[in-house]
Amino acid sequence: MIGRLTGTLAAIQPPQLLLDVQGVGYEVLAPMTTIFELPQLGGSVQLHTHLAVSETSQQLFGFIHEADRQLFRTLIKVNGVGPKMALAILSGLDGAALARCVADDNVAALVKVPGVGKKTAERLIIELRGKLTPQVGDLGDIPLMATNNEPRVDHAGEAESALVALGYKPTDASKMVARACKEQADADSATLIRISLKSMAPA
């Protein structure tokens, strides 16, 4: 079992990262809440990891904070919630926001997450009640991922691709990014993703 990785951040293509650990490249899937806290490419980073093994694949998930990994592991224990859905949930909701959804029986906020239907949202609320510890902060407080802002980069396209990779329908991702572009026209892809996800989070 791979429980932690420390290495150099070699590439970011949300939600996937490439982490160089002494010459070995590890492909790691991470929620946007982790991606927004990463250093610039070439920087050193330590990730708490979870290895998910199925009959058809092995996927490594990484988190900046141990609390986020524990929350991920709590989510995948809920009936009907797999690693991909848990990743999408943690990309749109941090621990504090998810705890509020559960405490307030906020089904409407949870069904905004791609792949989460009403029955799954209700099950999440029932099974997570009493298991979540409220945390300080929300998605809006997360620092932006550092980018090199190279010219001619299609930031809107990158943001749309990242949202689709998280499970949002292409048409929904396009609309979310379009709204984000109107809010901040000169934003880079990381900012567009943050604004888009924040618009989906509960107030």
Side-chain angles (χ1 to χ4, degrees):
M1 180 66 70
I2 302 173
R4 186 174 64 188
L5 290 174
T6 302
T8 301
L9 186 61
I12 304 174
Q13 189 174 358
Q16 185 170 285
L17 317 174
L18 182 62
L19 193 64
D20 186 328
V21 181
Q22 297 183 348
V24 179
Y26 288 86
E27 293 182 344
V28 183
L29 294 168
M32 295 308 302
T33 44
T34 280
I35 289 177
F36 289 137
E37 294 195 60
L38 293 173
Q40 292 183 336
L41 294 181
S44 178
V45 63
Q46 182 178 94
L47 296 175
H48 301 278
T49 58
H50 174 89
L51 180 63
V53 180
S54 68
E55 294 181 358
T56 57
S57 68
Q58 294 186 26
Q59 293 180 308
L60 193 62
F61 295 84
F63 310 88
I64 288 287
H65 304 292
E66 169 63 20
D68 291 333
R69 181 175 68 168
Q70 292 303 322
L71 182 53
F72 176 85
R73 288 175 168 174
T74 298
L75 284 170
I76 61 176
K77 290 178 182 178
V78 176
N79 185 31
V81 177
K84 182 178 180 180
M85 185 182 294
L87 192 73
I89 292 172
L90 293 182
S91 288
L93 302 169
D94 70 352
L98 182 57
R100 288 198 301 271
C101 285
V102 172
D104 298 340
D105 292 332
N106 194 342
V107 172
L110 290 173
V111 298
K112 292 180 180 179
V113 176
V116 177
K118 183 178 179 181
K119 289 185 178 179
T120 301
E122 292 172 344
R123 191 180 302 119
L124 279 165
I125 290 172
I126 292 172
E127 295 194 27
L128 294 179
R129 187 172 287 123
K131 295 181 180 179
L132 302 183
T133 301
Q135 301 176 33
V136 177
D138 57 31
L139 193 61
D141 296 329
I142 297 172
L144 295 179
M145 175 179 62
T147 60
N148 54 16
N149 290 322
E150 295 178 356
R152 297 198 186 104
V153 173
D154 181 8
H155 294 303
E158 288 183 350
E160 287 183 26
S161 296
L163 292 172
V164 170
L166 288 171
Y168 289 93
K169 295 179 181 179
T171 53
D172 292 337
S174 179
K175 291 177 182 177
M176 292 164 68
V177 173
R179 288 195 295 268
C181 286
K182 288 182 179 180
E183 183 173 332
Q184 192 168 336
D186 59 346
D188 59 22
S189 56
T191 305
L192 292 175
I193 295 168
R194 179 179 66 83
I195 294 173
S196 298
L197 291 173
K198 188 178 180 182
S199 71
M200 302 296 289

